[in-house]
Amino acid sequence: MNKWIFALSLALPATASAAETPAVPPAASATQSEAPRFWAIDAGLRYGFIRDAAFDPYSDSDLLLQGTVGVSRTALVADRFSLAPGLRWDSGSTRATARGADTLLLVHRVTMPVEGRFHLHRRIYAFGRVAPGALWQRATVQDASLPETSKSSGWVFAGDLSAGASLMFIDTRGPKFWFTPEIGYAFAARRSGGLSPDVGDDDPRQFGTLQLSGTKLSGWFFRANVTATF
Amino acid sequence: MKRLFALTLCAMSCATIAVGCGDRPDVWDEAPSASKTKVVGLAGAVALVDDVTHRAVMLLPREDQQLDRASFPVGKGVLRVEASPDRKRLLVLSSGDVPRRTSKDERPSLTVIDASDASRLKSRRFELAAPRSGLSVDPRGRWVAVFAAGDVATTFVENPNEIVLVDLEAPAGASPTITATLRSFGGRPERVTFAPTLTLPEGPRRLLVVETDQDVSLLDLDHQHDAVPRPEITVRLSPGGSTKPMRPAGVTFHDGSPSRNDDARIGVRISGDSNVVTLELAAATPGGPHDFSPKINLTDVGGVPSDLAFVQTDGGLRLAALVPSLSSAVLVETETSITTVVKLPAPYQRLSLITDVVERTALTDVALLWNATTSSSGVAFWALGKTAGQPYRSVEVLNLGGSVVGVRDVPAPRAELKVLESGGRGLFVLDLASRTAAPLTTLGKATVTISPDAERMWAFQVGESRLSSIDLDKLHPTPVVIDRAIQSVHDVARGDGGRSLIAIHARGAFGATVFDARAADTAYSRLYSGLLLEGLQ
């Protein structure tokens, strides 16, 4: 998986560069006097670094790669500052082999970010983001000691605290396209409870839980998005 | 702008590789295996000793077929795993890091997990100077002897005559580990046996008997914490001038007459030799380091003995030797070495005294004879009193239609029962009181586990899912449905006074099926899986 991430990361600049050439208008003339109001829709990748030992059964490394999409709308403007609430969904999974058992961890993180922006230039703004929300995870273990797959899923509180900058690289009369790198720290509560076999309600057998600690998906993260504003 | 864009993504990629590719611990990459996981049943728990993760996972049953799990670290490189005779302790002998390159590398060690109270398990680790693979545990639970077993070489150079004694009940201030080096005349230890308390001239004494490949050494355990521990007494078995080594093949003990303190004896069988040796532990001459001295008696019993025991007869104490080549037992008069040959109906190879079970008040012993090779041999009861004017010749055969290769004791309160294992498909439950043997047929080679409360036994086939419970009162077998292959079963006490049956499944990361042992019903069993995945995070 690391090779794939590496290749993808290296491929992104090339793709973006190719798109940038015909689209970027002549350089902007001056800093703007007031922050613009716009809708923003973004998509990209989120690289999470999970140091929690409970993550080890599900991944050969500490990396959790997620896709991310978000939408926001400028709500308040004061001089070069603006405030934009929004909605964001990060989703990803990781699979591994843990002591011979096949494991999978599927993660969905839904947050409601509030983004404070400072517009340095009409093509650049820096931002800080507070994003409370919730995280849903499903852990799956398939071990030869039991024919059935053991599963556990549920919601926990989660949130992000991050900062970054958006750099416009395509400026059209309609939508404008920005490259948005971001770094931050993700918080998430640990999910409690073990994994139970995935059997039907009519299965008469009783099972004990597989006591793997719930993963606490907290840690530093990078996010790289392409944002369209209009 | 284009450059900034590319630089940002390159930086993120590098950071991803640098930070995100942190490896997880190696234990996740190695699957458990039956060869690296030892399963040991204790009185109130089942231990899975996982050499990959260097830990013992203790399975502790609770009511409603619940299973608590607790994990204890053990030393790296597990060499031997044993339960103490009372099954309250788990002992794990480990080699540590070999070779030891840094100060942080582990030394060889003995880990003792005390499971006598299932709600408060305790672990102690004793570091050893060198790795040893031999382990012998005191039946009374105080001592552990660690020695270099001949079958596993752990270091380039070993001193096989160095024995480490671990005193689990060492007095305050005393070191729990004592290293004793036996004087050697060229021999190396092969077996180490803790003798029962023997009445010696200076009082009751615990001895460690070390059988080497050519002599026997006696170590006084009660004086190992002395400022200068008493050295061992080595008894050379080879007659003077003989070049043929006499290799001990087993020992037996007798405390002698209750009114005397100078007639405790040790009987020694010699491998491939018709001689038996009796060591009488009499008073030593004053001035020596010891207060007892073994007097050696060598007696030829006419053939190579296969088993040995001190027995009480009408004529007094005798050393009984089974000699299969003569189809006889030979009784050796311990004072004079006069022998009496008792012809047996079959060449029985093993002997167990059952006097305490069948005739508690008798002054003479009764022995159970078994493991003969003829098809009609079964087992025999040998009464060592005088019957119809024929001393020691009362032998009653119970023909079982085949030979008996193993005898399993049933604990009190049903000590009168023995479970006889035949080489084929079948078991017998022998009632010593009524001298009857009830056959139980099996579809395959059965492995038997007898419950410590003597209410039932479990028969199963290793690697199959066939399991049966047999009520030892009515001998009623009840099949128990289980849907996974069984490696072992353990009848374990619960904290609430009940008992649970834990069947261990060795596939994958190990699983278990838990039943109420007193009412085994699949409808109320509980299945556990991935036991060796737990507790590592």
Side-chain angles (χ1 to χ4, degrees):
Chain A
M1 189 172 71
N2 292 329
K3 284 181 183 173
W4 182 84
I5 295 161
F6 182 66
L8 181 67
S9 302
L10 293 182
L12 269 174
T15 311
S17 301
E20 187 179 14
T21 308
V24 173
S29 56
T31 55
Q32 59 190 53
S33 58
E34 188 177 71
R37 292 171 182 268
F38 52 71
W39 280 94
I41 298 174
D42 64 71
L45 291 173
R46 171 182 174 133
Y47 302 79
F49 304 108
I50 313 298
R51 294 289 192 190
D52 185 18
F55 186 63
D56 289 341
Y58 306 101
S59 176
D60 297 333
S61 68
D62 292 339
L63 180 67
L64 175 63
L65 181 65
Q66 293 173 270
T68 177
V69 293
V71 60
S72 64
R73 168 65 183 164
T74 310
L76 291 172
V77 172
D79 195 16
R80 290 158 69 181
F81 292 92
S82 64
L83 198 68
L87 186 66
R88 179 164 298 282
W89 173 43
D90 302 289
S91 176
S93 66
T94 173
R95 62 175 69 235
T97 302
R99 309 206 71 195
D102 294 326
T103 60
L104 171 68
L105 184 69
L106 177 63
V107 179
H108 295 289
R109 182 188 296 260
V110 179
T111 51
M112 299 183 68
V114 177
E115 187 175 305
R117 298 171 181 153
F118 178 67
H119 293 261
L120 300 163
H121 186 272
R122 62 173 289 273
R123 299 179 71 113
I124 301 175
Y125 67 85
F127 64 86
R129 190 181 282 161
V130 177
L135 182 147
W136 182 88
Q137 57 175 291
R138 185 174 72 195
T140 306
V141 175
Q142 173 75 63
D143 180 58
S145 59
L146 191 70
E148 290 80 8
T149 301
S150 296
K151 287 183 179 175
S152 165
S153 61
W155 288 95
V156 293
F157 169 78
D160 290 346
L161 200 58
S162 60
S166 282
L167 306 104
M168 187 193 299
F169 65 94
I170 298 176
D171 187 4
T172 66
R173 290 188 177 177
K176 302 178 193 322
F177 292 91
W178 308 72
F179 170 60
T180 308
E182 178 187 1
I183 186 169
Y185 193 85
F187 301 90
R190 185 182 301 281
R191 184 170 152 68
S192 60
L195 285 72
S196 298
D198 187 24
V199 293
D201 293 339
D202 56 346
D203 193 317
R205 294 174 297 170
Q206 298 180 74
F207 296 91
T209 55
L210 173 58
Q211 293 175 351
L212 283 181
S213 299
T215 308
K216 186 179 180 182
L217 296 172
S218 295
W220 292 99
F221 71 90
F222 295 127
R223 188 154 41 201
N225 284 352
V226 173
T227 308
T229 61
F230 50 89
Chain B
M1 177 63 72
K2 190 163 65 177
R3 184 172 295 173
L4 181 62
F5 186 93
L7 279 173
T8 306
L9 276 178
C10 278
M12 289 181 68
S13 298
C14 292
T16 300
I17 292 163
V19 180
C21 299
D23 280 341
R24 63 181 181 176
D26 291 341
V27 295
W28 291 108
D29 298 323
E30 191 166 347
S33 67
S35 63
K36 288 192 170 182
T37 308
K38 304 280 185 285
V39 183
V40 178
L42 301 173
V46 176
L48 306 180
V49 180
D50 182 2
D51 196 18
V52 175
T53 56
H54 320 304
R55 64 186 179 140
V57 177
M58 308 296 282
L59 309 179
L60 303 151
R62 284 194 289 120
E63 68 285 354
D64 194 28
Q65 284 66 261
Q66 299 285 342
L67 202 56
D68 287 342
R69 280 85 94 190
S71 189
F72 290 86
V74 300
K76 294 178 181 172
V78 172
L79 295 168
R80 194 140 300 185
V81 181
E82 300 242 346
S84 61
D86 62 3
R87 302 217 157 256
K88 290 181 177 172
R89 288 186 175 124
L90 178 74
L91 299 105
V92 183
L93 195 57
S94 312
S95 65
D97 285 307
V98 180
R100 191 166 179 268
R101 298 180 192 280
T102 70
S103 59
K104 289 182 180 174
D105 286 348
E106 264 188 30
R107 291 184 185 279
S109 64
L110 172 71
T111 304
V112 180
I113 298 173
D114 186 345
S116 52
D117 182 353
S119 62
R120 281 189 302 170
L121 302 184
K122 290 176 281 187
S123 174
R124 295 167 75 188
R125 192 180 294 195
F126 303 92
E127 284 198 348
L128 307 172
R132 297 279 182 264
S133 59
L135 186 67
S136 181
V137 188
D138 179 6
R140 294 183 60 185
R142 175 171 177 180
W143 296 92
V144 179
V146 180
F147 60 101
D151 55 337
V152 183
T154 51
T155 56
F156 181 56
V157 178
E158 280 186 336
N159 176 5
N161 289 291
E162 188 177 73
I163 293 181
V164 179
L165 291 167
V166 181
D167 186 354
L168 301 178
E169 299 166 14
S175 169
T177 56
I178 301 156
T179 302
T181 299
L182 308 179
R183 273 183 309 156
S184 175
F185 298 94
R188 57 178 298 152
E190 296 202 328
R191 251 181 321 281
V192 172
T193 309
F194 288 90
T197 301
L198 298 174
T199 308
L200 299 188
E202 296 299 320
R205 200 63 55 81
R206 298 295 314 280
L207 299 179
L208 182 72
V209 179
V210 182
E211 297 169 68
T212 74
D213 51 5
Q214 59 185 42
D215 45 35
V216 172
S217 295
L218 309 178
L219 201 60
D220 187 341
L221 292 172
D222 292 335
H223 288 91
Q224 290 305 307
H225 286 297
D226 292 356
V228 180
R230 292 188 181 176
E232 87 291 349
I233 299 171
T234 298
V235 181
R236 302 189 67 182
L237 298 178
S238 301
S242 170
T243 55
K244 183 190 171 193
M246 294 179 78
R247 180 192 292 254
V251 292
T252 184
F253 305 94
H254 194 274
D255 196 28
S257 166
S259 60
R260 291 176 58 183
N261 63 3
D262 60 349
D263 64 342
R265 289 181 171 87
I266 301 172
V268 183
R269 187 162 56 91
I270 309 296
S271 177
D273 196 288
S274 61
N275 286 296
V276 294
V277 176
T278 311
L279 307 177
E280 186 178 346
L281 306 180
T285 48
H290 295 283
D291 50 17
F292 69 93
S293 173
K295 285 199 276 182
I296 305 167
N297 229 330
L298 197 69
T299 308
D300 192 330
V301 294
V304 178
S306 58
D307 206 351
L308 211 60
F310 285 103
V311 294
Q312 204 62 248
T313 72
D314 271 349
L317 184 69
R318 299 288 186 271
L319 180 62
L322 287 183
V323 185
S325 61
L326 303 176
S327 273
S328 300
V330 178
L331 296 171
V332 181
E333 211 278 304
T334 51
E335 299 285 349
T336 63
S337 290
I338 294 171
T339 60
T340 304
V341 178
V342 179
K343 200 70 183 168
L344 300 176
Y348 295 106
Q349 299 186 57
R350 300 298 306 277
L351 171 154
S352 307
L353 291 184
I354 54 173
T355 320
D356 289 347
V357 178
V358 295
E359 292 182 45
R360 288 187 181 87
T361 57
L363 298 174
T364 55
D365 278 327
V366 178
L368 179 71
L369 309 177
W370 47 283
N371 198 14
T373 50
T374 57
S375 60
S376 60
S377 52
V379 294
F381 298 91
W382 182 22
L384 286 143
K386 189 179 288 187
T387 304
Q390 291 188 310
Y392 331 128
R393 282 169 174 73
S394 169
V395 180
E396 180 186 337
V397 176
L398 204 55
N399 190 345
L400 305 177
S403 65
V404 171
V405 297
V407 174
R408 304 283 300 278
D409 294 334
V410 176
R414 288 203 174 90
E416 75 279 8
L417 299 182
K418 301 273 182 190
V419 177
L420 310 179
E421 296 170 317
S422 67
R425 295 178 174 182
L427 302 166
F428 295 90
V429 178
L430 175 66
D431 189 330
L432 298 173
S434 62
R435 300 203 174 181
T436 56
L440 295 167
T441 56
T442 58
L443 291 174
K445 182 169 168 46
T447 301
V448 171
T449 297
I450 298 168
S451 70
D453 63 358
E455 288 183 11
R456 74 205 79 81
M457 69 174 179
W458 303 92
F460 67 100
Q461 192 171 2
V462 174
E464 301 287 336
S465 56
R466 297 167 178 159
L467 173 67
S468 282
S469 165
I470 298 119
D471 176 356
L472 283 173
D473 183 26
K474 296 177 179 167
L475 297 184
H476 174 63
T478 307
V480 179
V481 178
I482 205 161
D483 64 357
R484 292 179 281 178
I486 304 166
Q487 190 201 24
S488 59
V489 302
H490 309 272
D491 195 312
V492 175
R494 292 198 306 258
D496 64 355
R499 299 197 66 85
S500 291
L501 178 82
I502 302 178
I504 298 293
H505 314 296
R507 288 194 68 193
F510 280 65
T513 305
V514 184
F515 296 86
D516 184 333
R518 289 181 174 144
D521 186 342
T522 307
Y524 300 103
S525 66
R526 197 176 288 275
L527 286 75
Y528 292 83
S529 62
L531 296 170
L532 296 181
L533 295 175
E534 300 173 338
L536 290 170
Q537 300 160 291

